[in-house]
Amino acid sequence: MVTFRKAYEYALSALETAGIENSRNESMWLFEHFFGRDFRMMTDTERDTTADEEKSTEFISAVKKRTEGEPLQYLLGEWEFYGYPFLVGEGVLIPRQDTETIIEVVKSLEIPTPKIVDLCSGSGCIAITLSKETDAARITAVEKYDGAMKYLERNVKLNNSDIAVVRGDVLDADTVSAVGGCDIIVCNPPYLTQRDMEELQDEVKREPETALFGGNDGLDFYRKITALWKDSLSDGGYMVYEIGAGQENDVAQIFRENGFDDIEFTQDLCKIIRVVSARKK
Ligand code: GLN
């Protein structure tokens, strides 16, 4: 039997001891998620009442998992991207704020009612957000893995989105034919290098390696996707990639080798070049 106060204090001290940076906020968010109440808004009397036993057990077990390196987002089961809610959990990459840069870039492209394809869609955060934020005629999200697909489909429903979802490997020519022509291709592929993979934060280690690892130099997917998908883009169409820090010149070179021009770099909120886009001649 624990009181709300004891439960909250337990979380705060466990997260602090585990060295979690944002432990005060995380304790509050977990508290709110499991008890459905905002600890800050509770009176002293309320804080000293006994919390529901089942909820307390779940809360304490989530706090333990958090101290063992489970990402907060997986424990909450939901995370926001560009103001929209996305269900997340084991098997799917957690939407990052950096990735909102892709949305800004696509919104700035001057193609009326484009057909858009989102490759390596994962949770669907890019495709679904674009369906809300642009006047696209059609958006198709392509995803290979079961683990991510489960979330992608649920996120389409959660957001009442009208995108089409295609199950397929973006490196397989059959997927290219199944998807057909388009005006804009967006993609946040796996782009971490072998070295990056060896230095992953504990939380990121819990995310699917298939969403992170881009081969020895991190560039495998840019090389293969650009070569394989360029013919399905209309002339004057755009390819828009999220990249890792410092990959812009290599990705620009891949674009040039494949006959693209108007190569542009866009920074994220931390002033890191996060998106490279290019136009098909
Ligand atoms: N942005 C992710 C990270 O830094 C990597 C995601 C990706 O490879 N597309 O962990």
Side-chain angles (χ1 to χ4, degrees):
M1 300 286 259
V2 289
T3 61
F4 288 109
R5 188 191 302 281
K6 282 263 177 309
Y8 175 78
E9 283 171 356
Y10 163 74
L12 187 57
S13 102
L15 299 190
E16 272 173 356
T17 310
I20 287 161
E21 233 170 80
N22 207 359
S23 48
R24 190 163 294 271
N25 279 329
E26 292 207 9
S27 306
M28 267 175 339
W29 293 329
L30 286 166
F31 187 94
E32 187 165 359
H33 178 74
F34 286 94
F35 294 117
R37 306 186 64 170
D38 183 341
F39 185 74
R40 288 164 305 179
M41 306 297 282
M42 293 171 78
T43 62
D44 273 339
T45 324
E46 284 173 327
R47 289 178 180 185
D48 289 323
T49 54
T50 305
D52 177 272
E53 198 164 335
E54 203 174 311
K55 287 182 185 165
S56 309
T57 310
E58 284 174 18
F59 175 72
I60 287 165
S61 133
V63 170
K64 283 218 177 85
K65 286 187 187 156
R66 184 68 192 99
T67 64
E68 289 157 6
E70 176 97 359
L72 174 76
Q73 294 90 335
Y74 284 178
L75 295 166
L76 298 176
E78 194 173 310
W79 199 242
E80 206 173 85
F81 178 82
Y82 214 87
Y84 299 99
F86 289 89
L87 301 171
V88 293
E90 207 177 312
V92 72
L93 189 80
I94 299 161
R96 314 291 207 253
Q97 193 172 22
D98 303 338
T99 303
E100 296 185 350
T101 317
I102 283 201
I103 308 295
E104 300 301 345
V105 170
V106 174
K107 282 171 82 170
S108 73
L109 300 177
E110 282 167 3
I111 299 188
T113 62
K115 291 186 197 127
I116 303 177
V117 176
D118 173 32
L119 304 177
C120 309
S121 199
S123 66
C125 63
I126 298 174
I128 292 167
T129 302
L130 290 175
S131 75
K132 301 289 173 182
E133 297 286 330
T134 69
D135 62 351
R138 192 186 71 206
I139 299 184
T140 309
V142 183
E143 176 53 42
K144 175 178 177 186
Y145 295 99
D146 277 345
M149 188 54 111
K150 195 175 79 187
Y151 289 101
L152 173 51
E153 284 173 338
R154 289 169 66 199
N155 284 327
V156 170
K157 288 204 187 88
L158 177 67
N159 286 285
N160 290 314
S161 172
D162 54 3
I163 65 165
V165 170
V166 170
R167 173 66 175 277
D169 182 348
V170 301
L171 304 183
D172 180 343
D174 289 342
T175 311
V176 184
S177 350
V179 169
C182 61
D183 307 302
I184 300 173
I185 293 176
V186 295
C187 180
N188 173 18
Y191 55 64
L192 299 186
T193 63
Q194 182 61 46
R195 162 75 74 77
D196 294 332
M197 294 304 290
E198 285 155 19
E199 293 168 0
L200 285 185
Q201 259 181 291
D202 280 351
E203 283 87 347
V204 183
K205 280 186 197 145
R206 305 294 181 102
E207 294 184 273
E209 187 184 320
T210 50
L212 297 169
F213 183 47
N216 236 343
D217 65 355
L219 301 169
D220 280 5
F221 286 83
Y222 302 111
R223 290 192 197 94
K224 291 179 185 162
I225 289 174
T226 312
L228 196 59
W229 286 82
K230 63 183 176 191
D231 293 338
S232 57
L233 261 189
S234 51
D235 291 338
Y238 289 87
M239 201 143 186
V240 183
Y241 281 126
E242 175 169 321
I243 60 159
Q247 291 176 324
E248 59 272 15
N249 292 325
D250 291 325
V251 173
Q253 182 59 27
I254 292 169
F255 271 137
R256 280 191 292 270
E257 285 165 4
N258 282 279
F260 284 78
D261 59 12
D262 292 349
I263 297 168
E264 287 196 24
F265 297 161
T266 309
Q267 294 177 340
D268 63 20
L269 292 173
C270 301
K271 305 271 180 231
I272 290 169
I273 295 174
R274 186 57 69 192
V275 171
V276 183
S277 60
R279 192 155 194 226
K280 184 170 158 181
K281 283 182 202 162

